[in-house]
Amino acid sequence: MLPLEGSAGPDPTSLGLKEEELRELYRLMALTRRADLEATALQRQGELAVYPPLIGQEAAQIGSAFALEESDWIFPSYRELGSAVVRGVDLVEYLAFYRATWHGGTYDANAHRFGYVSVPVASQILHAVGYAMGAKLDGISLVSLVYFGDGATSEGDFHEGCNFAAVFEAPVVFFCQNNQWAISVPVAAQTVAPIWRKAQAYGFPGVQVDGNDVLAVYQATREAAARARDEGTPTLIEAVTYRIGPHSTADDATRYRTADEVEAWRGLDPLDRYRRWLAGTGVADDSYFEAVEGETRDFAARLRAGVIASEPRPVEEMFEWVFADIPPHLARQREEALRLASEDRKDGGRG
Ligand SMILES: Cc1ncc(C[n+]2csc(CCOP(=O)(O)OP(=O)(O)O)c2C)c(N)n1
Ligand SMILES: [Mg+2]
């Protein structure tokens, strides 16, 4: 849809997007790019324990999240900081997970209809399908979109989720970001058939889309969400993209892939491509891009200050929200943890 070069391309009116929405897509991608780089830097400086960069996947995340209604739910894996930006999740609260101060993040998932960071590969697929089935039983109209990677399609959870969604006509959009790698395993060693075609076995549509083209991703997700909402038909979207960064800040990607491969994908950078299109069609001009640039700087500065200032959570929270009535063995452990924490505070953490 978006041309690789130049300004010819889609008629935005065919997507039903207003000009300010076309500009907003760019703004959200630019904020995400900047926040992602900042989070990577914060990890290098010891402020985060680990961080999985999403650089290169901005169009896949922003285009898809933007295509949903506010009342729709998103179930992320661990790499969807960009979709969190679309949902207005406070990134300091999102990064609490990566600062290792809380499970999944401290934001209010219900308020943002944005689930918690989920690291066990593909586990969030079951949460998304279950949520969609529950909403359907309750007579609530919504779409449940779940993000996962190419590697996640090798997990049983993916296949179980697809089958349940199909059989129970659950309103799910399965959104696979095929970023070509599952840590050091290339997609060719992961699976033989193209990912989008796996949908056929479950009896619902599978779509492959250029994941570095924000408008194409938007369109594919919009159509999939409409099918889910109106007909209870799930869709599997395979967004073909690339993980420009390492798997996480704990990974050295130069050990298993070539610089040429990374460079080739850098040439398809989703922000550059969309910016050229916006400028070429006159939907946005230099003054707009400069204003966005200024906003991204402030956004990153606030993120940085917020993360550095954020304290560990109270120890007792570790024992909350699992049992309505805490069992005796956990109550004992809670007492012990509180006692140790208070002794630790008294001796200034010297142990
Ligand atoms: C069940 C499970 N097995 C293994 C891991 C270790 N692990 C973390 S991410 C990952 C690769 C996932 O690749 P993919 O699904 O393509 O997502 P990407 O990281 O590329 O976004 C693995 C094996 C895990 N977190 N959970
Ligand atoms: Mg992957």
Side-chain angles (χ1 to χ4, degrees):
M1 181 181 260
L2 272 186
L4 297 181
E5 304 286 343
S7 64
D11 170 9
T13 55
S14 72
L15 295 170
L17 284 167
K18 301 188 195 73
E19 289 205 350
E20 64 254 35
E21 290 171 319
L22 291 167
R23 286 190 289 272
E24 178 67 359
L25 283 169
Y26 179 81
R27 179 179 159 272
L28 291 166
M29 286 204 287
L31 289 172
T32 297
R33 170 70 55 93
R34 191 71 185 231
D36 182 64
L37 292 173
E38 189 64 42
T40 304
L42 283 166
Q43 193 284 330
R44 298 293 185 224
Q45 293 157 18
E47 297 292 346
L48 299 178
V50 69
Y51 178 71
L54 69 92
I55 183 165
Q57 300 179 214
E58 294 87 351
Q61 296 189 14
I62 306 305
S64 51
F66 198 79
L68 299 178
E69 301 296 326
E70 268 183 32
S71 49
D72 295 335
W73 263 80
I74 291 176
F75 290 85
S77 73
Y78 38 81
R79 207 183 290 287
E80 278 79 40
L81 176 140
S83 308
V85 169
V86 176
R87 280 299 166 97
V89 172
D90 181 317
L91 293 186
V92 174
E93 295 186 3
Y94 175 85
L95 289 173
F97 178 83
Y98 293 109
R99 195 161 164 82
T101 47
W102 190 237
H103 318 289
T106 55
Y107 50 91
D108 182 343
N110 283 307
H112 296 281
R113 272 95 40 221
F114 190 83
Y116 294 116
V117 173
S118 189
V119 170
V121 171
S123 55
Q124 72 280 9
I125 296 175
L126 301 180
H127 307 159
V129 174
Y131 197 90
M133 288 169 63
K136 188 174 172 177
L137 288 172
D138 286 348
I140 298 169
S141 168
L142 56 71
V143 172
S144 173
L145 181 145
V146 57
Y147 290 105
F148 53 93
D150 39 291
T153 66
S154 298
E155 291 282 357
D157 288 1
F158 165 72
H159 299 281
E160 290 158 25
C162 287
N163 196 50
F164 265 79
V167 168
F168 290 97
E169 299 181 344
V172 182
V173 177
F174 294 93
F175 195 95
C176 179
Q177 292 178 81
N178 176 0
N179 63 6
Q180 313 302 323
W181 291 91
I183 314 187
S184 57
V185 179
V187 72
Q190 188 78 239
T191 186
V192 176
I195 289 170
W196 65 274
R197 269 185 38 202
K198 295 175 197 294
Q200 201 184 350
Y202 299 103
F204 55 72
V207 191
Q208 193 181 50
V209 64
D210 178 346
N212 284 18
D213 176 343
V214 69
L215 298 182
V217 172
Y218 173 85
Q219 185 175 32
T221 313
R222 192 99 196 140
E223 289 169 3
R227 269 193 297 276
R229 202 186 317 276
D230 304 340
E231 303 160 26
T233 304
T235 300
L236 170 61
I237 297 177
E238 177 190 1
V240 180
T241 182
Y242 193 76
R243 195 194 77 210
I244 292 290
H247 171 71
S248 78
T249 47
D251 172 47
D252 174 4
T254 63
R255 292 179 60 175
Y256 54 80
R257 64 183 194 184
T258 65
D260 285 353
E261 178 181 306
V262 181
E263 277 320 298
W265 279 93
R266 272 190 194 280
L268 300 172
D269 185 280
L271 269 84
D272 293 349
R273 228 167 120 191
Y274 190 48
R275 183 180 168 137
R276 277 199 301 273
W277 183 80
L278 285 173
T281 51
V283 173
D285 58 14
D286 282 348
S287 69
Y288 177 76
F289 295 123
E290 274 164 34
V292 169
E293 176 64 21
E295 194 188 343
T296 64
R297 267 199 304 274
D298 296 344
F299 189 63
R302 279 201 306 279
L303 171 63
R304 176 175 193 74
V307 166
I308 292 172
S310 64
E311 297 282 341
R313 304 289 299 176
V315 169
E316 58 270 30
E317 276 192 358
M318 261 194 294
F319 299 90
E320 286 172 8
W321 299 312
V322 176
F323 294 97
D325 298 309
I326 188 165
H329 70 286
L330 285 182
R332 275 196 305 278
Q333 288 178 25
R334 182 173 63 186
E335 293 319 306
E336 193 177 347
L338 285 171
R339 184 171 51 73
L340 289 171
S342 95
E343 283 171 13
D344 199 41
R345 267 197 301 277
K346 271 184 225 140
D347 80 354
R350 286 184 296 276

